[in-house]
Amino acid sequence: MNNSTAVDGITIDCAIFGFNKASLEVLLVQHAEGESIGKWGLLGGYLRKDESADEAAQRIVYELTTLDNIYLEQLKAFTDPKRVSERRVVTIGYYTLVNREDYNIKASQTVIEAKWYKINEIPDLIFDHNEIFDFSLMQLQNRVRQAPIGFNLLPEKFTLLQLMHLYEEILGIELDKSNFRRKILHMKLLVALDEKQQDVSHRAAKLYKFDPDIYKKLTEKGFNFEF
Amino acid sequence: MNNSTAVDGITIDCAIFGFNKASLEVLLVQHAEGESIGKWGLLGGYLRKDESADEAAQRIVYELTTLDNIYLEQLKAFTDPKRVSERRVVTIGYYTLVNREDYNIKASQTVIEAKWYKINEIPDLIFDHNEIFDFSLMQLQNRVRQAPIGFNLLPEKFTLLQLMHLYEEILGIELDKSNFRRKILHMKLLVALDEKQQDVSHRAAKLYKFDPDIYKKLTEKGFNFEF
DNA sequence: CCAAAAGTGTTGTTGATACACCCATGT
DNA sequence: ACATGGGTGTATCAACAACACTTTTGG
């Protein structure tokens, strides 16, 4: 990358979450250059002089995955003076939620390899990236209870049990099928489609989709996302 | 201040909340030097090379108020490339909760004047400080519903109605006295003292204090702070 | 017919809400 | 006596947890 356009001493690091079958996973990368060659870490990059941190995070994720318009939220700034040896670098942490069905790795100059890791099988990462990851998971668990951001991890059409398993994975709890159905349907956030699952070896489930317009209307009255 | 010890291009800005009688207020300052002379803004300063952002925020608040060991939480980094004209400066926002009874302004080299403003009477501030303040209020409203951080705004001993008025002010809602009492006492977070209000022109209320030890025990089981 | 997941129904308990009401104290 | 806030009691309603049950579909 062209360092002349970068802000000195400020980087962006991003935890990219995806949901696969029944498990919540994070995309980690091996860096091809710099002092961290060959070690796994969160996807990162420099903040450029003409962009905000949000724009930088969007750009950095796009450069690796070609994913556009993804859900993205700043965590906080990580500022321990010793977090990177030798230099003083402050990093601004982010997390994003992506739909694995849309995802495709793009060849990249700065990254050797990218790989999904289950959230309870994260290896030792560079710098303070384990701390950043832990914080991002905590933040995800909190946010998912306050707003329906979890839908960003699912394909457009999904069954109620897929949704329930997603919440179970993220929150690390078990939910009652019957009660979950009642509660989520009662919120009126979902639109039932005239479609069912295909090619499953059991009774096919109805498919639903999340409706952001309905969400906007409901959000003014306020409703509860505790599960 | 000695700029040779400062990290280039990174500042700290802090919204200091206090609770006075019945209103939630923020401490604003007029800067004595730099491009912002004479305008009101949040308390701010440079991040130093040998300190984390948390330490910097503690130091900056201490330098003005001599308050120590206060509740302090990072908001996020504000990074719009145009947020400060001329230079690229990223600021890390903070908010703190202080007990007005402990508070005393200290003479300061960098600040002409400091003044408490009611949260709905905030003037036009320098840079993006209005945005930072709005964010801090939102964050306070959210956090106060998840954990008993509001106690940091009160004196050590307080009545149940003082506490209720605090929540009403922060959240901008009205609460039912009877139901509030039941709910807060039911949580078992408060320790009833063998003391009553003095010199009030009505029946004296019992005083309570918040017990952090009890909170720690309860927090593991989880409990609900929605009001 | 069986396995597996989809989907419905029932019941007891808890907690929120909206009140009405009585108590203590200073002016 | 009355104003002001302190403090108690109660009836109603909505939400939740636990669990049993029926339905659909592929193999």
Side-chain angles (χ1 to χ4, degrees):
Chain A
M1 79 162 281
N2 181 358
N3 271 305
S4 71
T5 64
V7 174
D8 194 40
I10 302 182
T11 60
I12 306 287
D13 285 302
C14 187
I16 301 173
F17 286 99
F19 186 65
N20 186 32
K21 317 272 184 207
S23 47
L24 185 63
E25 299 181 350
V26 174
L27 190 63
L28 298 178
V29 300
Q30 267 184 326
H31 290 274
E33 52 181 41
E35 61 202 78
S36 47
I37 287 186
K39 289 188 76 178
W40 291 99
L42 301 176
L43 179 63
Y46 285 95
L47 175 67
R48 291 189 184 160
K49 286 179 177 159
D50 59 348
E51 67 188 357
S52 68
D54 282 12
E55 287 162 356
Q58 290 277 7
R59 170 180 58 77
I60 287 164
V61 172
Y62 180 79
E63 283 172 3
L64 179 70
T65 64
T66 68
L67 287 177
D68 216 343
N69 246 334
I70 55 179
Y71 181 84
L72 181 143
E73 201 180 337
Q74 189 189 130
L75 296 167
K76 66 164 194 164
F78 293 82
T79 62
D80 186 324
K82 297 196 180 70
R83 60 173 292 279
V84 173
S85 46
E86 314 277 328
R87 303 167 289 145
R88 178 73 197 259
V89 183
V90 163
T91 198
I92 302 176
Y94 275 81
Y95 76 98
T96 75
L97 306 180
V98 306
N99 173 358
R100 289 281 292 270
E101 290 194 353
D102 298 340
Y103 161 80
N104 254 308
I105 280 284
K106 188 189 169 191
S108 162
Q109 296 165 324
T110 53
V111 169
I112 299 177
E113 205 183 337
K115 193 177 153 196
W116 291 98
Y117 281 84
K118 291 196 203 308
I119 56 162
N120 39 27
E121 296 173 5
I122 307 291
D124 269 0
L125 306 178
I126 54 170
F127 309 142
D128 55 353
H129 283 202
N130 286 97
E131 183 191 342
I132 299 175
F133 167 74
D134 291 345
F135 192 91
S136 74
L137 183 56
M138 235 183 53
Q139 182 76 351
L140 174 59
Q141 290 174 338
N142 281 325
R143 292 287 297 140
V144 95
R145 273 183 262 213
Q146 290 163 29
I149 61 170
F151 294 97
N152 294 291
L153 290 162
L154 290 176
E156 205 197 342
K157 301 169 183 180
F158 51 84
T159 70
L160 293 186
L161 250 70
Q162 281 174 343
L163 183 61
M164 184 176 103
H165 291 323
L166 174 64
Y167 277 94
E168 289 182 323
E169 258 295 286
I170 295 178
L171 298 175
I173 55 177
E174 289 221 329
L175 295 170
D176 180 277
K177 187 177 45 143
S178 163
N179 296 335
F180 180 84
R181 292 177 73 85
R182 212 192 337 273
K183 174 146 191 185
I184 194 87
L185 289 176
H186 187 242
M187 289 179 193
K188 305 245 167 96
L189 264 182
L190 300 183
V191 178
L193 301 172
D194 264 344
E195 265 180 276
K196 298 201 163 194
Q197 281 180 312
Q198 300 293 326
D199 305 315
V200 285
S201 73
H202 54 77
R203 178 170 172 182
K206 196 167 208 169
L207 293 171
Y208 292 82
K209 69 169 187 173
F210 168 68
D211 190 325
D213 292 341
I214 299 179
Y215 172 67
K216 265 180 200 156
K217 280 171 204 156
L218 287 174
T219 207
E220 286 153 25
K221 299 188 218 163
F223 58 109
N224 182 12
F225 247 82
E226 288 291 335
F227 283 104
Chain B
M1 83 159 279
N2 181 357
N3 271 305
S4 70
T5 65
V7 174
D8 193 41
I10 302 183
T11 60
I12 306 287
D13 284 303
C14 187
I16 302 175
F17 287 99
F19 186 63
N20 186 31
K21 317 270 185 209
S23 48
L24 185 63
E25 300 180 351
V26 174
L27 190 63
L28 298 179
V29 300
Q30 265 186 326
H31 290 274
E33 51 181 39
E35 60 201 81
S36 47
I37 288 187
K39 290 189 73 178
W40 292 99
L42 301 176
L43 179 63
Y46 285 95
L47 175 67
R48 292 189 183 158
K49 285 180 178 157
D50 59 349
E51 66 187 358
S52 68
D54 283 11
E55 288 160 357
Q58 290 278 7
R59 170 180 59 77
I60 287 165
V61 173
Y62 180 80
E63 284 171 2
L64 179 69
T65 64
T66 67
L67 287 177
D68 217 343
N69 247 334
I70 57 179
Y71 181 85
L72 182 143
E73 200 180 338
Q74 189 189 130
L75 295 167
K76 67 162 194 166
F78 293 82
T79 62
D80 186 324
K82 297 196 180 70
R83 60 174 291 279
V84 173
S85 46
E86 312 278 329
R87 303 167 290 146
R88 177 73 198 259
V89 183
V90 164
T91 199
I92 303 177
Y94 275 80
Y95 76 99
T96 75
L97 306 180
V98 307
N99 174 356
R100 288 282 291 271
E101 291 194 354
D102 298 341
Y103 161 80
N104 254 306
I105 279 283
K106 188 189 169 191
S108 164
Q109 297 166 324
T110 54
V111 169
I112 299 178
E113 205 184 338
K115 192 177 153 199
W116 291 98
Y117 281 84
K118 291 197 202 307
I119 56 162
N120 38 28
E121 296 173 5
I122 306 291
D124 268 1
L125 306 178
I126 54 170
F127 309 143
D128 54 354
H129 283 202
N130 285 98
E131 183 191 343
I132 299 175
F133 167 74
D134 290 345
F135 193 90
S136 73
L137 183 56
M138 235 183 53
Q139 183 77 351
L140 173 59
Q141 290 175 338
N142 280 327
R143 293 287 296 142
V144 96
R145 273 183 262 213
Q146 290 162 29
I149 61 170
F151 294 97
N152 294 291
L153 290 163
L154 291 177
E156 206 197 340
K157 302 169 182 181
F158 50 84
T159 70
L160 292 187
L161 249 69
Q162 281 175 344
L163 183 60
M164 184 176 103
H165 291 322
L166 174 63
Y167 276 95
E168 289 182 323
E169 256 296 285
I170 296 178
L171 298 174
I173 55 178
E174 289 221 329
L175 295 170
D176 181 277
K177 188 177 45 144
S178 163
N179 295 334
F180 181 84
R181 292 179 71 85
R182 214 195 333 277
K183 174 146 192 185
I184 194 89
L185 289 177
H186 188 241
M187 288 179 191
K188 306 245 166 96
L189 263 182
L190 300 184
V191 179
L193 302 171
D194 263 343
E195 264 181 280
K196 298 202 163 194
Q197 282 180 312
Q198 301 293 327
D199 305 315
V200 286
S201 72
H202 53 76
R203 177 172 173 181
K206 195 168 210 169
L207 293 172
Y208 292 82
K209 68 169 191 175
F210 168 67
D211 190 327
D213 293 341
I214 298 178
Y215 173 65
K216 264 181 200 157
K217 281 171 202 155
L218 286 174
T219 207
E220 286 152 24
K221 298 187 215 161
F223 58 109
N224 183 13
F225 247 82
E226 288 290 336
F227 284 103

